[in-house]
Amino acid sequence: NRWSRHDQDFAVRITADDLHGLLKRGLIIDPGTNALLVDKGVVVGTVPPGEYTIDSLGGRIKNWFSGKIPESITALLVEITQTEFEFNLGGIFTSDPLRIGASIRLQVQVEQPGKFLINMLKGRERIAKEDLRKYLYPEVVQAAERWIRQHSMQDLADDFKLKDKFGLLLDETLKNTFGQLGLAFLNIRVLDLNF
């Protein structure tokens, strides 16, 4: 009756086959975790951390499901805050060609749980943060290489606005590539270009 995920988890799928019985016994959602209740690929409600019973949560669930508590429910457990990933890339060539490195920080969250469950988790129960970072890494590297190759070392050193433009390109690239996975990318920042 405790819904929890490890700190290393990005998201965890829970399937409750006897939701009514679970709420009668009491449900605990661990601190720092939101439970997104998903029905037919759509989030019907979000349950924040805390202890719940049929009295405290049953009425809300009935409203979400047109007057009755369903027998089973799928919940996606995610962090309350966005998950942050840092990518340190090295050995990328400028147009000169000279080799540089880049440090990039992304904040990621699940935006469309239905798509995430079907296209990212698939049959798995959980996905670790490191697994997701490894999954994103090739796309981040490819976008970085493509963009840095268009600029000289001098341009990158002199024009500080280029880092912001690089961040916008990354944002657009990742949205296009990973939108079908139900992920949203927030606050993409190029921290540093190392010459």
Side-chain angles (χ1 to χ4, degrees):
N1 67 338
R2 178 180 289 273
W3 287 0
S4 62
R5 53 170 192 79
H6 299 295
D7 284 342
Q8 298 86 9
D9 286 330
F10 178 73
V12 174
R13 178 206 325 254
I14 300 273
T15 303
D17 291 324
D18 180 15
L19 184 58
H20 194 272
L22 179 66
L23 289 173
K24 273 187 166 180
R25 293 188 304 275
L27 169 64
I28 300 167
I29 298 175
D30 276 357
T33 301
N34 275 336
L36 310 177
L37 301 185
V38 181
D39 183 43
K40 298 180 181 90
V42 177
V43 174
V44 292
T46 301
V47 184
E51 294 185 31
Y52 300 95
T53 64
I54 194 79
D55 295 328
S56 63
L57 190 59
R60 264 198 282 175
I61 290 178
K62 283 180 183 178
N63 289 337
W64 294 336
F65 287 94
S66 305
K68 65 176 187 168
I69 296 176
E71 287 185 27
S72 66
I73 188 73
T74 298
L76 186 64
L77 305 183
V78 295
E79 276 188 87
I80 288 177
T81 58
Q82 297 90 10
T83 303
E84 192 165 271
F85 295 104
E86 192 160 326
F87 298 88
N88 295 306
L89 315 177
I92 300 173
F93 286 99
T94 62
S95 63
D96 302 325
L98 297 169
R99 199 181 291 236
I100 68 167
S103 296
I104 299 164
R105 184 175 294 156
L106 308 174
Q107 287 182 337
V108 182
Q109 71 179 16
V110 176
E111 184 176 54
Q112 297 175 323
K115 284 185 175 181
F116 184 80
L117 285 167
I118 293 166
N119 299 326
M120 188 74 204
L121 269 182
K122 299 179 181 167
R124 294 180 288 185
E125 183 181 293
R126 64 185 61 233
I127 185 166
K129 291 177 186 176
E130 184 57 23
D131 292 337
L132 183 58
R133 197 187 82 74
K134 287 178 183 175
Y135 191 83
L136 297 173
Y137 186 82
E139 196 68 34
V140 172
V141 169
Q142 187 178 25
E145 286 178 343
R146 191 170 52 243
W147 185 84
I148 289 173
R149 223 179 295 130
Q150 297 172 5
H151 302 283
S152 70
M153 181 75 81
Q154 193 66 48
D155 291 341
L156 295 170
D158 292 344
D159 189 350
F160 296 112
K161 291 181 181 177
L162 282 178
K163 277 201 317 189
D164 294 334
K165 290 178 182 175
F166 181 27
L168 290 172
L169 170 90
L170 271 174
D171 182 40
E172 197 58 39
T173 300
L174 294 174
K175 275 182 186 173
N176 290 339
T177 305
F178 295 106
Q180 73 273 14
L181 298 177
L183 296 172
F185 296 89
L186 313 163
N187 195 17
I188 296 176
R189 288 178 37 221
V190 178
L191 301 174
D192 198 13
L193 294 172
N194 313 300
F195 303 109

